[in-house]
Each structure stands twice: as structure tokens, then as C-alpha cells.
Amino acid sequence: MTKKIAVFAGDGIGPEVMDEALRVLLRVNDKYSLGMEIEKGLVGGCAYDQHGTPLPESSLKLAKSADAVMLGAVGGLKWDTLDYSLRPERALLGLRGELDLYANLRPAKVHPALADASTLKREVVDGVDIMVVRELVGGMYFGKPKGVEKLPDGTERGFNTEVYTTPEIERIAKVAFEVARKRGKKLCSVDKANVLESSGLWRRVVIEVAKAYPDVALSHMYVDNCAMQLIRWPNQFDVIVTNNMFGDILSDEASMLTGSIGMLPSASLSGKKGMYEPIHGSAPDIAGQGKANPIATILSVAMMLDYTFDASSAAKEIENAVTKALDGGYRTADIYSDGMKKVSTKEMGDVILKAIA
Ligand code: NAD
């Protein structure tokens, strides 16, 4: 059966990194006879320029009809003065909401060849391979009531609501246990159950869901301790599951263990369906110069093959090809150090393609 992938390259370096990712995707598609079909569309600033909206109806329809969505990056100075409702970044929120992408998976893996790129010592980050599973459509960012109100004394009161229901916690916990099962079989649930009622419920529900996963070792950690432990001893973690706000912060912290934003992919899932994208933005400062690192987007292809299409051998081959390119000393400018071979976006794509036999 044909598998349809909606591709939105977006703005800035988006199209440059997506070109390389699609070359890799087409190669493994042929090699493993995966039967993938690609259809391209517009989202972000480029969509605004053509259609007057960052997420045109036709693009949303394409995304909904596809098995998976690949996204480059959106945004840029040109659109920064638009009303918030028309900004390129609105397209991301629109896609997440419309596709109900409730589970955000952000791996933070330190490649041995790049361990010195981290701001932490090599002995702390060597071997780090963490997956943060963040709840993406609930909690404080969406909870009601929210707002800012005037008080009788003339001051103001701003408020948001941290709210989770049992089904919302159950579904994200299940995703996290499934992910842990595919990896090191260790899951750490991060909350603030010593202070927040919603976290108390979160912990109780995660413990309940754990009964169906006796092969996965579950632990719990308060978020403040987790922020500390990620810097102190990151190797203790395999999979972390947490709510929207804690996940926002912890996944950025975890990604910085690796030292380079150009290396990290992500997945946002609703069951098997997913949207896959690099964690970086459109990098207007280097757009159009052939300097962008395409590895984050190429590894997003690997995540898509793994999580949406269960094509784990093809995914592994892409990951191995990336490792081989790095071990061979090839570096885009963002990860370059003395003695290495500096390559352009396309040249990095060439080296990775060559490593896929
Ligand atoms: P950014 O991630 O685009 O760039 C931050 C820094 O990292 C820049 O110096 C950039 O050159 C570098 N960088 C990023 N990706 C790189 C890559 N693949 N290779 C080499 N270097 C890379 O973040 P920003 O500068 O804060 O935002 C720029 C624009 O992107 C803004 O309009 C912002 O709203 C948008 N943005 C979009 C997304 C997304 O599409 N998911 C995410 C974040 C920011």
C-alpha cells in the first residue's frame, strides 16, 4: 500500500535541509521498497506570501490526508511585523492542534565524535542517549481559565491553569512506555507531585498505566531535581515523560547536552500518525548560503520511518550513515573544529547518501 508523506519545507534554511532529507528518503525508499509517495505543500511565511495565511486550507487538507508530515522550518524577519494570527509560527500550532499531535518526542543523543561540542565535560556527556516525551496539547499552555484581569485597586492579575484529565495522562504515558520498550526499558516520569494536585494525579495515573508494562522500569522525579540531574549525571536517563510546560523546558535543556541544534530531530505523534521536524528554526542568518546542517532533518526522516512506518532497518541505516559521516570527519560549519573536513549542506547530504550502500 502506498504511504503518503506531506512535505512542507517552509522558510529560511527549511528548503535547503529538506532537499537533503528527501534525497535520503528517496534512496531508502528504493532500497527497502517502502512504497512512499511524497506530496509537497506550503506552510509558514512562503504560504502567507502566496495565500495570505501561514496555513492554507489546501495544506491542512494535505497534512490530514497523509500518513506522516515532514516539516523543515518556518519564520523569518520578513514576517515578524505581521499580526500574531498571521505569523509563520502559527502554522505549527495549527498543524499540532488540527492533527491532535499530543506526544512530542525529542531525542538528545551525543555522537561520540561530537562529545567535545557540548559545553559540559566529555566524561559527563559521553554516551548520552535520552528521549524526552512531552505532552503537547494540554496543561498550562491550553488550560482554562486563563487571562489578565483588572483588580479594583487598579493593579492586574494574570492567571493560567495547569489541568490534566485521566485520559490525557493515560495516552501520553502509553506512548512513553512504548518508546521505552523499544529502547533501554527505563522510564522516568517527571512531575511536581509534592506541590501540585495535577501532578499528584499525573503520578497516580502513570503508576496505573505501568501495570501493563512490567518489562519497563518506572521511576519518578520532581522537575527541579530533574533539571539538576540532567546536568549532573545525564547518563542515568533513558526515557523521560512529562507534561507540556516541564517538557518544554527540560527538552531544551537536554538538547543542549549535545552541543548542536543542527543535529537534533523531533517527532510529534497522534497514535501512528506523526509530524517530523528538526528542532531548530529557519536560521535566517545563514539561509541561502549552503551552511546549514541537514543532519537534524535527515534524522527526522529516520524517526518517521521508525515511529510511523515501523521500518526500523531503514531508520537504523540512516542513523548509521550519519554516524559514519561524522566519524569520517565531515562537518558543516556549526559543528566544525580544527582538523575536520568542512562541508556544505549539499556535500553533507552527498556523504550521508554515499554511506547508504
Ligand atoms: P534558529 O534555530 O533558527 O537559529 C538559532 C541559531 O542556530 C542561529 O545562529 C542559526 O544559524 C543556528 N542554526 C539553526 N539551525 C541550524 C542548522 N541546521 N545548521 C546550522 N546552524 C543552525 O532560531 P532563531 O534564530 O531563534 O529563530 C529564527 C526563526 O525561526 C524565527 O522566525 C523563529 O520564529 C523561527 N523558528 C521556527 C521554528 C520551527 O519552524 N519549528 C523553531 C524555532 C524558531
Side-chain angles (χ1 to χ4, degrees):
M1 215 176 72
T2 312
K3 296 154 185 144
K4 185 160 142 187
I5 301 165
V7 174
F8 303 114
D11 311 313
I13 61 168
E16 299 167 50
V17 292
M18 187 59 81
D19 277 352
E20 301 316 310
L22 290 183
R23 286 208 292 154
V24 168
L25 174 61
L26 292 176
R27 171 68 61 86
V28 295
N29 186 37
D30 279 351
K31 183 167 175 182
Y32 290 84
S33 304
L34 297 174
M36 309 243 170
E37 213 170 66
I38 287 165
E39 200 173 325
K40 295 184 181 177
L42 295 177
V43 301
C46 56
Y48 174 80
D49 287 347
Q50 275 207 22
H51 299 280
T53 164
L55 181 57
E57 211 35 62
S58 54
S59 298
L60 187 57
K61 203 169 147 206
L62 169 60
K64 282 184 170 170
S65 69
D67 299 292
V69 176
M70 285 285 312
L71 194 115
V74 298
L77 275 179
K78 182 179 170 190
W79 303 283
D80 275 358
T81 50
L82 290 173
D83 183 75
Y84 276 101
S85 62
L86 296 173
R87 296 255 181 110
E89 294 78 2
R90 289 303 293 194
L92 300 179
L93 297 181
L95 282 168
R96 283 176 193 163
E98 290 285 338
L99 302 176
D100 193 25
L101 301 171
Y102 61 86
N104 184 226
L105 274 56
R106 292 248 311 240
K109 184 171 172 175
V110 174
H111 289 266
L114 294 181
D116 291 324
S118 174
T119 47
L120 297 187
K121 292 183 193 133
R122 177 180 267 277
E123 61 260 35
V124 176
V125 296
D126 232 353
V128 161
D129 184 358
I130 301 170
M131 179 72 84
V132 179
V133 179
R134 165 188 171 195
E135 201 289 328
L136 201 59
V137 295
M140 180 95 80
Y141 295 0
F142 294 90
K144 289 190 180 129
K146 63 175 179 178
V148 179
E149 63 185 17
K150 282 245 181 290
L151 297 177
D153 66 0
T155 61
E156 290 178 290
R157 176 175 172 269
F159 52 98
N160 292 87
T161 305
E162 170 70 3
V163 54
Y164 273 106
T165 62
T166 308
E168 284 175 322
I169 304 167
E170 275 171 356
R171 67 178 185 172
I172 189 72
K174 280 181 191 159
V175 170
F177 277 106
E178 294 291 339
V179 170
R181 201 168 241 182
K182 278 185 160 188
R183 296 172 38 105
K185 299 189 168 46
K186 264 170 60 182
L187 177 63
C188 179
S189 173
V190 174
D191 60 40
K192 191 71 184 167
N194 50 343
V195 176
L196 301 174
E197 279 76 3
S198 63
S199 271
L201 176 66
W202 177 281
R203 191 174 283 214
R204 274 197 284 123
V205 175
V206 171
I207 289 170
E208 207 45 49
V209 173
K211 290 179 181 160
Y213 299 88
D215 52 324
V216 177
L218 172 67
S219 62
H220 305 273
M221 197 178 273
Y222 297 137
V223 61
D224 41 348
N225 186 24
C226 183
M228 213 164 60
Q229 295 297 334
L230 274 171
I231 302 296
R232 194 182 78 86
W233 178 29
N235 266 303
Q236 70 186 284
F237 296 107
D238 174 21
V239 181
I240 289 172
V241 63
T242 191
N243 71 18
N244 201 346
M245 185 175 60
F246 298 160
D248 191 2
I249 299 162
L250 294 178
S251 61
D252 266 17
E253 186 187 355
S255 69
M256 276 302 104
L257 298 172
T258 71
S260 175
I261 197 170
M263 298 285 302
L264 297 171
S266 77
S268 302
L269 304 176
S270 178
K272 278 281 169 201
K273 184 160 179 159
M275 182 160 91
Y276 298 86
E277 56 183 317
I279 69 160
H280 60 73
S282 58
D285 53 333
I286 56 165
Q289 300 171 35
K291 286 185 183 167
N293 186 345
I295 291 179
T297 316
I298 289 171
L299 289 175
S300 299
V301 171
M303 284 191 88
M304 175 179 76
L305 295 176
D306 213 356
Y307 287 99
T308 292
F309 298 114
D310 290 320
S312 52
S313 310
K316 197 81 215 144
E317 175 138 22
I318 294 175
E319 286 165 11
N320 290 343
V322 167
T323 303
K324 211 165 156 187
L326 295 172
D327 288 347
Y330 296 97
R331 302 280 190 274
T332 42
D334 56 314
I335 51 173
Y336 178 76
S337 57
D338 282 347
M340 296 291 135
K341 300 165 197 156
K342 199 184 250 184
V343 291
S344 68
T345 309
K346 183 167 178 308
E347 285 163 344
M348 182 59 99
D350 289 340
V351 174
I352 292 169
L353 269 181
K354 209 170 148 201
I356 300 173

